[in-house]
């Protein structure tokens, strides 16, 4: 469990705003106004935005606050709740999950770093290859370090540790796919949905499109 000294303050704000209108609009993302203002006032800045979510981070905290619109992105909540039941270094460490009204939820996650690695070839082809690996693993019970997987990834990465980490990430995603019976076409495995822990481990963060 992530130790977060300011979690209580943030959760109290969500409770106070339950009956208020959400007025901070970011496309498909509606952010509780007081929560947004409180985060900004306490040295949190917006460090990432996606189609349905927004992430706040602070240079003095070891966690980030992600706010998602569950009306459009309920699968992400399924993924995060599943991560809490697993014990894998290739999945994000999850703290509190707090629902806000009927559409929005707030997740406290460990702070990770951008994945700055060299990719050989077309990133779109890498995404397709990762989907293929996850689909095959989920059907055939392959071990996470099967030789055929390394052959698929060999052309994309020069370093063995990168290939090994992606294999293990795919193994976790295959387990998730089987658990929730998710169609492989719903996986969004582009390189931006992987990040890195400071000790050098690749982590899959948001695999469902």
């Amino acid at each position: 469990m992530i130790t977060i000294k300011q979690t209580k303050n943030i959760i109290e704000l969500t409770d106070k705003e339950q009956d208020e209108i959400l007025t901070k609009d970011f496309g498909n993302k509606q952010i509780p106004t007081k929560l947004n203002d409180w985060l900004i006032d306490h040295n949190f800045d917006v460090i990432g935005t996606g189609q349905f979510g927004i992430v706040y981070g602070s240079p003095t905290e070891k966690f980030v606050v992600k706010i998602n619109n569950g009306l459009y992105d309920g699968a992400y909540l399924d993924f995060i709740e599943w991560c809490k039941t697993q014990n894998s270094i290739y999945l994000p460490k999850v703290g509190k999950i707090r629902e806000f009204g009927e559409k929005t939820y707030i997740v406290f996650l460990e702070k990770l770093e951008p994945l700055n690695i060299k990719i050989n070839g077309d990133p779109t082809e890498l995404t397709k290859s990762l989907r293929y690996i996850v689909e095959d693993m989920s059907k055939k019970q392959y071990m996470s370090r099967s030789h055929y997987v390394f052959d698929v990834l060999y052309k994309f990465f020069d370093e063995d540790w990168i290939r090994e980490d992606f294999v293990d990430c795919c193994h976790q995603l295959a387990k998730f796919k089987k658990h929730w019976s998710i169609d492989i076409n719903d996986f969004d495995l582009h390189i931006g949905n992987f990040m890195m822990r400071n000790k050098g481990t690749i982590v899959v963060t948001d695999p469902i499109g």
Side-chain angles (χ1 to χ4, degrees):
M1 180 62 67
I2 302 171
T3 301
I4 305 172
K5 64 182 181 181
Q6 293 178 328
T7 299
K8 182 178 179 182
N9 305 71
I10 296 172
I11 289 177
E12 285 178 350
L13 279 172
T14 65
D15 289 339
K16 290 177 182 177
E17 283 196 90
Q18 286 291 337
D19 298 323
E20 294 187 14
I21 298 173
L22 308 184
T23 58
K24 289 283 185 180
D25 291 315
F26 297 85
N28 291 321
K29 305 171 283 294
Q30 290 184 311
I31 309 304
T33 305
K34 289 182 181 178
L35 176 57
N36 175 82
D37 294 344
W38 187 93
L39 289 167
I40 297 301
D41 289 343
H42 287 77
N43 205 28
F44 282 80
D45 292 313
V46 175
I47 60 172
T49 59
Q51 187 175 4
F52 304 118
I54 185 167
V55 182
Y56 295 82
S58 167
T60 61
E61 297 291 349
K62 295 182 179 180
F63 70 97
V64 298
V65 180
K66 182 168 184 177
I67 305 176
N68 257 46
N69 189 328
L71 179 66
Y72 300 101
D73 195 19
Y76 177 74
L77 182 58
D78 292 338
F79 174 69
I80 287 299
E81 289 182 332
W82 180 78
C83 287
K84 293 192 71 170
T85 69
Q86 305 300 303
N87 183 25
S88 171
I89 61 174
Y90 304 102
L91 298 172
K93 296 177 182 177
V94 183
K96 298 278 187 179
I97 301 174
R98 187 71 168 182
E99 294 184 6
F100 183 86
E102 298 180 354
K103 300 179 181 180
T104 305
Y105 55 90
I106 300 165
V107 183
F108 299 89
L109 300 160
E110 67 172 315
K111 182 185 291 184
L112 298 167
E113 301 298 328
L115 183 58
N116 295 317
I117 58 175
K118 178 185 176 183
I119 302 173
N120 300 322
D122 185 355
T124 303
E125 290 302 313
L126 172 60
T127 298
K128 293 179 181 178
S129 295
L130 292 174
R131 280 182 175 175
Y132 164 76
I133 292 170
V134 171
E135 174 80 344
D136 217 25
M137 282 182 171
S138 68
K139 289 180 177 179
K140 298 181 180 179
Q141 297 287 336
Y142 275 101
M143 297 296 290
S144 63
R145 296 182 181 276
S146 299
H147 291 295
Y148 94 101
V149 178
F150 281 93
D151 291 340
V152 172
L153 294 177
Y154 190 83
K155 65 180 179 181
F156 294 108
F157 306 112
D158 294 330
E159 298 181 69
D160 285 339
W161 76 269
I162 297 176
R163 291 190 287 267
E164 291 170 0
D165 275 17
F166 269 101
V167 168
D168 288 321
C169 285
C170 287
H171 184 62
Q172 296 302 318
L173 291 173
K175 290 169 57 180
F176 176 63
K177 181 183 183 304
K178 290 180 65 176
H179 180 78
W180 286 101
S181 301
I182 298 172
D183 188 283
I184 192 61
N185 293 314
D186 291 332
F187 279 84
D188 184 14
L189 303 182
H190 69 80
I191 198 67
N193 284 337
F194 296 84
M195 298 187 75
M196 181 175 290
R197 195 169 284 116
N198 58 4
K199 294 183 179 180
T201 303
I202 295 175
V203 179
V204 54
T205 57
D206 189 4
I208 309 300

